[in-house]
Structures are given as C-alpha cells and as structure tokens.
C-alpha cells in the first residue's frame, strides 16, 4: 500500500463547524459530557460483568466486549475533537489521520458483527433453550468474538488503503470532525466512482448482512416469545431483546445512511450530525439502555456495590 501520498508531510485540516463559531462551545460541552458518561457507563458494565459470578454467561461476555468496543471507539476520535475545538488551528497529522481512520473503521465494523452474534445468542437462548449450554459453549463464544474482531480489522485495512491511496492533489481541508471515509473521498481530484463501488461492496457485507441476520433472528424470537404462556416470561424475554433492538436500530440506521450512499449525495452538515450520533451518542446510550432495561444487570450493580461497600467497612 502506498500510504505516502503527496499530502502526507502536511497532514490535514479538520474543518468541523469552523464556519459556525457559535456552535463550538455547545459542541465541546456535548462531547465532554457524552464522553464522560460513555467512560463511566462502559467501565461500570465491564467491572460488574467481571466481578459478579452470576453474569458469567455468554450474553454478558458479549456485552463486556461491546463495552470495550464502545470505549475504544469513542476514544479514537473524541479526545482529539475536544483538543481541536479549543484551538484555532484544527489540524491532524497524516499518521494520526491514518490511525484514526483504521481504528474507527475497525471498531465500527467489529461492533456490527458483534451485534449479530448477540442476536444469535438470544435466538438460541429463547428458541433452543435446551441446547443453549451445548451450542453457546465457552470456546464457541471465544471463536465468534475473535472472528468479529478479525473481520472488523481486515475490512478496515482494505477500506483505509483504498481511501488513503486516492490522489488528493494537495487538498488538505477535511470538512468533518475526524478522518472518515466519506469526508476523505471528497478530497480526491480523481474519479472516485470505482473506489466508491468497492467501498459500497464492503459496506454491504459489514452492514446489510449482519442487520439481515439480526432481523431474521428476532423474527424467530418474536414467534417463540408469543408462544410463552407465562406473562412474566414474555415480559422478561421482550425486555432483554428490546434493549438489543434499540441498540441495533440506532447504530445500523445511522451507519447505513452514512455508508450505503455516495459521499457526494450526503448533505454536508447532516452527514456530520449523523457521524456524531453513531460515533458518540450511540456508545453513550448503550450502557444506559442495557443497564436501565435489564433487571439482572441492575441487581448485579446492587450486589457489587454492596460487596464493595461492605469490604471497605
């Protein structure tokens, strides 16, 4: 891969909302609050899932991985965005842009696959409960998670290499908050349609196939839940799966809007807002959705807090 493009010595200028100075402070506050909640929420979920033996199940193993993903996902972009808002020269080095692009793409793709794995886990738990322990064994779960991470990073390297190798003819101003594929493609001085077609193919694999599998899984789950005679059992099943569907809708809906249409057709400001949503708001909402809508998680929080408090006493 020819990473050393003609723009590499100079790096890039991230415009963001530079043309709207009055938005800088509200955006800074939004990013800082969202990032703080994201760190606290995801670290809390990770610690509770690790410390509470009752949560040592496949579902919470996948949830722990999702929290790690969201924590790294936001950290790859938000700290630099906060620094850039506070200074007049909003720049990023070529190496920094390359690292940001690869990590952001890799973690985003991995999360798409992990959400599909989590839906399969719920399908087996509800539709094949007698076979759950056999199917969702420890090694199978590890392989599923490892596969998600491997495919995510492989997809990222391919998409990043295609994007960064496009000739830019000295163009440095990225009309975005961070280095992302659609924004970087707009810098190219060559025909981007062949590259856009290849990137569209990879995006279909990473976005549409997982979301289709998720919808199929939840179609079977809905049928199985409606056959449950116990009202409490139906409520618990819908509660667990409902939280997952909220996360899926938020993440995939915005991701599909951004990556499954040509960059030229995306509204400049609307594209920035959508990126903020799936890159920052969704990772912040994930721990809130899974903790507030999950009875087992709330009880585990109480147990861990009680044990910690009692131990300190």
């Amino acid at each position: 891969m020819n990473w050393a493009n003609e723009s590499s010595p100079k790096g890039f200028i991230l415009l963001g909302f530079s043309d709207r100075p009055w938005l800088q402070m509200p955006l800074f506050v939004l990013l800082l609050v969202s990032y703080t909640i994201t760190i606290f929420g995801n670290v809390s979920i990770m610690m509770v899932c690790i410390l509470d033996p009752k949560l040592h199940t496949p579902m919470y193993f996948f949830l722990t991985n999702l929290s790690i993903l969201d924590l790294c996902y936001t950290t790859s972009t938000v700290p630099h965005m906060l620094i850039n808002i506070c200074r007049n020269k909003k720049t990023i080095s070529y190496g920094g842009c390359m690292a940001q692009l690869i990590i952001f793409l890799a973690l985003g793709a991995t999360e798409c696959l992990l959400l599909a794995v989590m839906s399969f886990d719920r399908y087996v738990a509800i539709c094949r409960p007698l076979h759950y322990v056999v199917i969702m064994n420890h090694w199978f779960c590890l392989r599923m998670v490892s596969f998600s991470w491997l495919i995510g990073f492989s997809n990222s390297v391919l998409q990043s290499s295609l994007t960064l190798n496009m000739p830019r003819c000295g163009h440095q101003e990225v009309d975005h908050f961070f280095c992302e594929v659609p924004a970087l493609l707009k810098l190219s001085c060559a025909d981007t349609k062949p590259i856009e077609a290849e990137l569209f193919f990879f995006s279909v694999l990473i976005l549409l196939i997982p979301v289709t599998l998720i919808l199929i899984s939840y179609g079977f789950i809905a049928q199985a839940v409606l056959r449950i005679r116990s009202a409490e059992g139906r409520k618990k099943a819908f509660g667990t799966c409902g939280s997952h569907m909220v996360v899926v809708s938020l993440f995939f809906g915005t991701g599909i809007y951004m990556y499954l249409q040509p960059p030229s057709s995306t509204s400049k400001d609307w594209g920035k807002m959508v990126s903020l949503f799936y890159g920052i708001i969704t990772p912040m909402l994930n721990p809130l959705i899974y903790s507030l809508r999950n009875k087992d998680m709330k009880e585990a929080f109480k147990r861990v807090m009680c044990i910690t408090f009692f131990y300190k006493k």
Side-chain angles (χ1 to χ4, degrees):
M1 293 181 293
N2 180 26
W3 296 105
N5 195 286
E6 66 274 7
S7 300
S8 58
K10 300 179 182 179
F12 299 97
I13 299 170
L14 301 171
L15 297 179
F17 283 134
S18 299
D19 57 338
R20 294 175 176 83
W22 58 273
L23 274 176
Q24 300 298 312
M25 185 53 66
L27 181 61
F28 180 85
V29 173
L30 173 65
L31 290 175
L32 184 61
V33 171
S34 300
Y35 188 51
T36 303
I37 294 173
T38 300
I39 293 174
F40 177 77
N42 284 294
V43 169
S44 297
I45 285 181
M46 289 160 54
M47 295 304 296
V48 169
C49 289
I50 292 169
L51 295 176
D52 194 320
K54 291 187 178 181
L55 298 186
H56 292 177
T57 63
M59 174 182 170
Y60 294 103
F61 170 68
F62 297 137
L63 183 56
T64 302
N65 273 269
L66 182 64
S67 293
I68 295 171
L69 271 173
D70 284 337
L71 196 59
C72 298
Y73 192 54
T74 52
T75 302
S76 68
T77 57
V78 175
H80 190 269
M81 289 167 66
L82 289 171
I83 293 171
N84 265 358
I85 290 174
C86 296
R87 62 186 185 184
N88 293 325
K89 196 174 182 182
K90 306 178 189 303
T91 59
I92 185 170
S93 66
Y94 183 82
C97 182
M98 183 174 70
Q100 195 176 75
L101 179 66
I102 291 174
I103 294 170
F104 189 79
L105 270 176
L107 298 177
T110 303
E111 183 158 342
C112 291
L113 298 171
L114 185 60
L115 289 172
V117 171
M118 292 173 73
S119 72
F120 177 74
D121 171 71
R122 291 301 84 206
Y123 162 76
V124 177
I126 294 173
C127 300
R128 299 287 186 271
L130 299 179
H131 302 92
Y132 182 77
V133 177
V134 176
I135 296 174
M136 302 303 294
N137 61 75
H138 178 70
W139 288 111
F140 180 75
C141 293
L142 280 176
R143 283 196 292 268
M144 294 282 276
V145 169
S146 300
F147 176 78
S148 300
W149 283 88
L150 177 62
I151 296 300
F153 273 86
S154 299
N155 167 75
S156 175
V157 170
L158 288 170
Q159 290 208 39
S160 299
S161 62
L162 290 171
T163 303
L164 292 171
N165 277 322
M166 291 294 293
R168 292 184 290 275
C169 303
H171 297 160
Q172 295 175 261
E173 294 187 346
V174 180
D175 196 7
H176 207 0
F177 299 105
F178 54 90
C179 292
E180 195 175 15
V181 171
L184 288 173
L185 282 179
K186 291 179 181 179
L187 298 184
S188 178
C189 55
D191 183 14
T192 60
K193 289 182 180 179
I195 298 298
E196 287 177 11
E198 294 181 52
L199 295 175
F200 179 83
F201 173 74
F202 291 126
S203 297
V204 167
L205 294 179
I206 296 298
L207 287 167
L208 286 189
I209 292 179
V211 80
T212 301
L213 295 175
I214 290 170
L215 292 176
I216 292 172
S217 296
Y218 277 95
F220 286 114
I221 288 171
Q223 291 179 350
V225 169
L226 292 174
R227 290 197 297 266
I228 297 176
R229 295 181 180 180
S230 167
E232 186 177 346
R234 283 198 301 271
K235 183 179 178 182
K236 183 177 180 180
F238 274 126
T240 303
C241 298
S243 60
H244 187 204
M245 283 305 297
V246 170
V247 172
V248 167
S249 301
L250 292 173
F251 188 75
F252 279 96
T254 51
I256 287 172
Y257 171 84
M258 197 68 180
Y259 281 89
L260 292 186
Q261 62 176 322
S264 56
S265 67
T266 305
S267 170
K268 181 177 68 171
D269 290 339
W270 184 244
K272 295 176 189 177
M273 297 306 295
V274 170
S275 295
L276 285 177
F277 198 88
Y278 65 71
I280 296 156
I281 304 301
T282 302
M284 177 193 71
L285 293 177
N286 282 354
L288 298 177
I289 292 169
Y290 278 109
S291 59
L292 295 178
R293 291 179 56 89
N294 190 313
K295 183 180 177 181
D296 293 337
M297 181 62 72
K298 286 188 283 188
E299 291 177 353
F301 270 118
K302 293 176 183 177
R303 285 194 298 269
V304 171
M305 291 299 293
C306 289
I307 292 171
T308 304
F309 181 75
F310 180 76
Y311 178 76
K312 286 184 178 180
K313 288 290 185 180

